[in-house]
Amino acid sequence: TYVLGRACSMASILAAAGEPGHRIAYENARFMVHEASTFISKQKVTEVKVRFNETLYRNSVLIELLSKHTGKSIESIQKTFDRDHWMSADQAVEFGLIDTVIRTKPS
């Protein structure tokens, strides 16, 4: 799995779910993880409740997936998910999203 530019939201989870040892990003790649979100506007109360419950479910699935693929605890991922969490490629290695950073040689 290669990340060439940005892996934000679901793309960061796809990067983390790549084959261990083969999750690679270029040095200028950026990553962002965050909790699930939804758009609710001018909805009936019952529809808001359905969407809210679905969003809570999706959020728990995303947290479990990131925990599984990064080796971080559920609690650690939950703390990270409280807002958009941006990372450099090196920080993504520390976080466990990827394994290797490709560094380009200066010309």
Short mmCIF file of all heavy atoms in Angstrom, two decimals, residues 59-93:
data_model
loop_
_atom_site.label_atom_id
_atom_site.label_comp_id
_atom_site.label_asym_id
_atom_site.label_seq_id
_atom_site.Cartn_x
_atom_site.Cartn_y
_atom_site.Cartn_z
N ASN A 59 -18.43 4.82 14.11
CA ASN A 59 -17.29 5.31 14.87
C ASN A 59 -16.63 4.17 15.65
O ASN A 59 -15.40 4.05 15.67
CB ASN A 59 -17.72 6.43 15.81
CG ASN A 59 -16.56 7.29 16.23
OD1 ASN A 59 -15.88 7.86 15.40
ND2 ASN A 59 -16.35 7.38 17.53
N SER A 60 -17.42 3.33 16.28
CA SER A 60 -16.85 2.21 17.04
C SER A 60 -16.14 1.23 16.12
O SER A 60 -15.08 0.70 16.47
CB SER A 60 -17.92 1.51 17.88
OG SER A 60 -18.85 0.84 17.06
N VAL A 61 -16.68 1.00 14.93
CA VAL A 61 -16.02 0.10 13.96
C VAL A 61 -14.69 0.70 13.51
O VAL A 61 -13.67 -0.01 13.44
CB VAL A 61 -16.94 -0.16 12.74
CG1 VAL A 61 -16.18 -0.84 11.62
CG2 VAL A 61 -18.14 -1.00 13.16
N LEU A 62 -14.66 2.00 13.21
CA LEU A 62 -13.42 2.65 12.79
C LEU A 62 -12.36 2.58 13.89
O LEU A 62 -11.19 2.32 13.61
CB LEU A 62 -13.69 4.11 12.41
CG LEU A 62 -14.57 4.34 11.20
CD1 LEU A 62 -14.84 5.83 11.00
CD2 LEU A 62 -13.98 3.73 9.95
N ILE A 63 -12.76 2.80 15.11
CA ILE A 63 -11.82 2.73 16.23
C ILE A 63 -11.25 1.31 16.36
O ILE A 63 -10.05 1.13 16.53
CB ILE A 63 -12.49 3.20 17.54
CG1 ILE A 63 -12.72 4.70 17.49
CG2 ILE A 63 -11.67 2.81 18.77
CD1 ILE A 63 -13.60 5.25 18.60
N GLU A 64 -12.11 0.31 16.26
CA GLU A 64 -11.65 -1.07 16.35
C GLU A 64 -10.69 -1.42 15.20
O GLU A 64 -9.68 -2.09 15.42
CB GLU A 64 -12.84 -2.02 16.34
CG GLU A 64 -13.63 -2.00 17.62
CD GLU A 64 -14.89 -2.85 17.56
OE1 GLU A 64 -15.01 -3.71 16.66
OE2 GLU A 64 -15.77 -2.65 18.43
N LEU A 65 -11.00 -0.96 13.99
CA LEU A 65 -10.13 -1.22 12.85
C LEU A 65 -8.76 -0.58 13.03
O LEU A 65 -7.72 -1.23 12.81
CB LEU A 65 -10.76 -0.71 11.55
CG LEU A 65 -11.87 -1.56 10.96
CD1 LEU A 65 -12.56 -0.81 9.82
CD2 LEU A 65 -11.32 -2.89 10.47
N LEU A 66 -8.74 0.68 13.45
CA LEU A 66 -7.45 1.34 13.67
C LEU A 66 -6.67 0.69 14.80
O LEU A 66 -5.46 0.53 14.71
CB LEU A 66 -7.64 2.83 13.95
CG LEU A 66 -7.67 3.73 12.72
CD1 LEU A 66 -7.87 5.18 13.13
CD2 LEU A 66 -6.42 3.59 11.90
N SER A 67 -7.35 0.28 15.84
CA SER A 67 -6.68 -0.42 16.93
C SER A 67 -6.05 -1.71 16.43
O SER A 67 -4.89 -2.01 16.72
CB SER A 67 -7.68 -0.71 18.06
OG SER A 67 -7.06 -1.45 19.08
N LYS A 68 -6.80 -2.46 15.65
CA LYS A 68 -6.31 -3.74 15.10
C LYS A 68 -5.08 -3.53 14.22
O LYS A 68 -4.10 -4.27 14.33
CB LYS A 68 -7.42 -4.40 14.30
CG LYS A 68 -7.00 -5.63 13.54
CD LYS A 68 -8.14 -6.16 12.68
CE LYS A 68 -7.66 -7.29 11.80
NZ LYS A 68 -8.72 -7.75 10.90
N HIS A 69 -5.12 -2.53 13.34
CA HIS A 69 -4.05 -2.37 12.36
C HIS A 69 -2.86 -1.55 12.84
O HIS A 69 -1.80 -1.61 12.23
CB HIS A 69 -4.62 -1.78 11.06
CG HIS A 69 -5.54 -2.72 10.35
ND1 HIS A 69 -5.13 -3.91 9.80
CD2 HIS A 69 -6.87 -2.65 10.13
CE1 HIS A 69 -6.15 -4.53 9.25
NE2 HIS A 69 -7.23 -3.79 9.45
N THR A 70 -3.04 -0.78 13.91
CA THR A 70 -1.92 0.02 14.42
C THR A 70 -1.29 -0.57 15.68
O THR A 70 -0.19 -0.19 16.05
CB THR A 70 -2.37 1.46 14.76
OG1 THR A 70 -3.33 1.41 15.82
CG2 THR A 70 -2.95 2.17 13.55
N GLY A 71 -2.02 -1.47 16.34
CA GLY A 71 -1.52 -2.02 17.59
C GLY A 71 -1.77 -1.11 18.79
O GLY A 71 -1.37 -1.42 19.90
N LYS A 72 -2.44 0.01 18.57
CA LYS A 72 -2.76 0.92 19.67
C LYS A 72 -4.02 0.46 20.39
O LYS A 72 -4.86 -0.21 19.81
CB LYS A 72 -2.96 2.34 19.14
CG LYS A 72 -1.70 3.00 18.63
CD LYS A 72 -1.97 4.47 18.39
CE LYS A 72 -0.71 5.25 18.25
NZ LYS A 72 0.12 5.30 19.44
N SER A 73 -4.15 0.84 21.63
CA SER A 73 -5.33 0.46 22.41
C SER A 73 -6.57 1.23 21.91
O SER A 73 -6.45 2.30 21.32
CB SER A 73 -5.12 0.75 23.89
OG SER A 73 -5.10 2.16 24.11
N ILE A 74 -7.74 0.66 22.20
CA ILE A 74 -9.01 1.33 21.88
C ILE A 74 -9.03 2.70 22.54
O ILE A 74 -9.42 3.70 21.91
CB ILE A 74 -10.21 0.47 22.37
CG1 ILE A 74 -10.25 -0.88 21.66
CG2 ILE A 74 -11.52 1.24 22.25
CD1 ILE A 74 -10.84 -0.89 20.30
N GLU A 75 -8.61 2.78 23.80
CA GLU A 75 -8.63 4.04 24.54
C GLU A 75 -7.72 5.09 23.88
O GLU A 75 -8.08 6.26 23.80
CB GLU A 75 -8.20 3.82 26.00
CG GLU A 75 -9.15 2.95 26.80
CD GLU A 75 -9.00 1.45 26.49
OE1 GLU A 75 -7.95 1.02 25.95
OE2 GLU A 75 -9.96 0.71 26.77
N SER A 76 -6.57 4.66 23.41
CA SER A 76 -5.64 5.58 22.75
C SER A 76 -6.24 6.13 21.46
O SER A 76 -6.15 7.33 21.18
CB SER A 76 -4.33 4.86 22.45
OG SER A 76 -3.47 5.68 21.70
N ILE A 77 -6.87 5.26 20.69
CA ILE A 77 -7.51 5.70 19.44
C ILE A 77 -8.66 6.65 19.76
O ILE A 77 -8.82 7.68 19.10
CB ILE A 77 -8.01 4.50 18.61
CG1 ILE A 77 -6.86 3.57 18.23
CG2 ILE A 77 -8.79 4.97 17.37
CD1 ILE A 77 -5.86 4.13 17.27
N GLN A 78 -9.45 6.34 20.77
CA GLN A 78 -10.57 7.22 21.15
C GLN A 78 -10.08 8.62 21.48
O GLN A 78 -10.70 9.61 21.09
CB GLN A 78 -11.35 6.63 22.33
CG GLN A 78 -12.21 5.46 21.95
CD GLN A 78 -12.81 4.76 23.15
OE1 GLN A 78 -12.23 4.72 24.24
NE2 GLN A 78 -13.98 4.16 22.95
N LYS A 79 -8.97 8.72 22.20
CA LYS A 79 -8.42 10.04 22.54
C LYS A 79 -7.96 10.78 21.30
O LYS A 79 -8.13 11.99 21.19
CB LYS A 79 -7.24 9.88 23.52
CG LYS A 79 -7.67 9.50 24.91
CD LYS A 79 -6.46 9.33 25.81
CE LYS A 79 -6.90 8.79 27.17
NZ LYS A 79 -5.74 8.51 28.03
N THR A 80 -7.39 10.07 20.36
CA THR A 80 -6.92 10.67 19.11
C THR A 80 -8.08 11.14 18.26
O THR A 80 -7.99 12.13 17.54
CB THR A 80 -6.08 9.65 18.31
OG1 THR A 80 -5.00 9.20 19.13
CG2 THR A 80 -5.54 10.26 17.03
N PHE A 81 -9.22 10.46 18.34
CA PHE A 81 -10.38 10.73 17.50
C PHE A 81 -11.18 11.96 17.94
O PHE A 81 -12.13 12.33 17.26
CB PHE A 81 -11.32 9.51 17.52
CG PHE A 81 -11.19 8.62 16.31
CD1 PHE A 81 -9.98 8.37 15.73
CD2 PHE A 81 -12.32 8.04 15.77
CE1 PHE A 81 -9.87 7.55 14.63
CE2 PHE A 81 -12.23 7.22 14.67
CZ PHE A 81 -11.00 6.98 14.09
N ASP A 82 -10.82 12.60 19.04
CA ASP A 82 -11.66 13.71 19.53
C ASP A 82 -11.72 14.89 18.57
O ASP A 82 -12.61 15.72 18.65
CB ASP A 82 -11.22 14.15 20.93
CG ASP A 82 -9.86 14.81 20.95
OD1 ASP A 82 -9.12 14.71 19.97
OD2 ASP A 82 -9.53 15.43 21.98
N ARG A 83 -10.79 14.96 17.63
CA ARG A 83 -10.79 16.02 16.61
C ARG A 83 -9.94 15.53 15.44
O ARG A 83 -9.33 14.46 15.50
CB ARG A 83 -10.23 17.32 17.16
CG ARG A 83 -8.82 17.18 17.69
CD ARG A 83 -8.29 18.49 18.28
NE ARG A 83 -7.16 18.29 19.13
CZ ARG A 83 -5.95 17.92 18.75
NH1 ARG A 83 -5.69 17.68 17.49
NH2 ARG A 83 -4.97 17.78 19.61
N ASP A 84 -9.89 16.30 14.35
CA ASP A 84 -9.01 15.93 13.23
C ASP A 84 -7.58 15.87 13.75
O ASP A 84 -7.09 16.80 14.38
CB ASP A 84 -9.09 16.97 12.11
CG ASP A 84 -10.41 16.93 11.36
OD1 ASP A 84 -11.26 16.07 11.67
OD2 ASP A 84 -10.59 17.77 10.46
N HIS A 85 -6.93 14.76 13.50
CA HIS A 85 -5.56 14.55 13.97
C HIS A 85 -4.67 14.37 12.74
O HIS A 85 -4.71 13.33 12.09
CB HIS A 85 -5.50 13.32 14.88
CG HIS A 85 -4.16 13.09 15.48
ND1 HIS A 85 -3.73 13.75 16.60
CD2 HIS A 85 -3.15 12.27 15.11
CE1 HIS A 85 -2.51 13.34 16.90
NE2 HIS A 85 -2.13 12.46 16.00
N TRP A 86 -3.89 15.41 12.41
CA TRP A 86 -3.01 15.41 11.24
C TRP A 86 -1.64 14.88 11.61
O TRP A 86 -1.14 15.14 12.70
CB TRP A 86 -2.89 16.82 10.68
CG TRP A 86 -4.14 17.29 10.01
CD1 TRP A 86 -5.18 17.95 10.60
CD2 TRP A 86 -4.49 17.09 8.65
NE1 TRP A 86 -6.16 18.19 9.67
CE2 TRP A 86 -5.76 17.67 8.46
CE3 TRP A 86 -3.87 16.48 7.56
CZ2 TRP A 86 -6.41 17.66 7.23
CZ3 TRP A 86 -4.51 16.48 6.33
CH2 TRP A 86 -5.77 17.07 6.18
N MET A 87 -1.02 14.16 10.66
CA MET A 87 0.31 13.58 10.89
C MET A 87 1.16 13.68 9.64
O MET A 87 0.65 13.59 8.53
CB MET A 87 0.18 12.09 11.24
CG MET A 87 -0.49 11.79 12.55
SD MET A 87 -0.76 10.02 12.73
CE MET A 87 -2.48 9.95 12.23
N SER A 88 2.45 13.81 9.85
CA SER A 88 3.42 13.68 8.77
C SER A 88 3.63 12.19 8.51
O SER A 88 3.13 11.34 9.27
CB SER A 88 4.75 14.32 9.18
OG SER A 88 5.33 13.56 10.24
N ALA A 89 4.39 11.86 7.49
CA ALA A 89 4.68 10.45 7.21
C ALA A 89 5.43 9.82 8.38
O ALA A 89 5.13 8.69 8.79
CB ALA A 89 5.47 10.32 5.91
N ASP A 90 6.39 10.53 8.94
CA ASP A 90 7.14 9.99 10.09
C ASP A 90 6.22 9.78 11.30
O ASP A 90 6.34 8.77 12.01
CB ASP A 90 8.31 10.90 10.46
CG ASP A 90 9.43 10.86 9.43
OD1 ASP A 90 9.69 9.78 8.87
OD2 ASP A 90 10.04 11.92 9.18
N GLN A 91 5.32 10.70 11.53
CA GLN A 91 4.37 10.55 12.64
C GLN A 91 3.42 9.38 12.38
O GLN A 91 3.02 8.69 13.31
CB GLN A 91 3.58 11.84 12.84
CG GLN A 91 4.43 12.96 13.40
CD GLN A 91 3.73 14.31 13.32
OE1 GLN A 91 3.00 14.60 12.37
NE2 GLN A 91 3.96 15.14 14.34
N ALA A 92 3.07 9.16 11.11
CA ALA A 92 2.20 8.03 10.75
C ALA A 92 2.90 6.70 11.04
O ALA A 92 2.24 5.73 11.43
CB ALA A 92 1.77 8.12 9.29
N VAL A 93 4.22 6.65 10.87
CA VAL A 93 4.97 5.44 11.25
C VAL A 93 4.89 5.24 12.76
O VAL A 93 4.60 4.14 13.23
CB VAL A 93 6.46 5.54 10.80
CG1 VAL A 93 7.27 4.40 11.39
CG2 VAL A 93 6.55 5.52 9.27
#
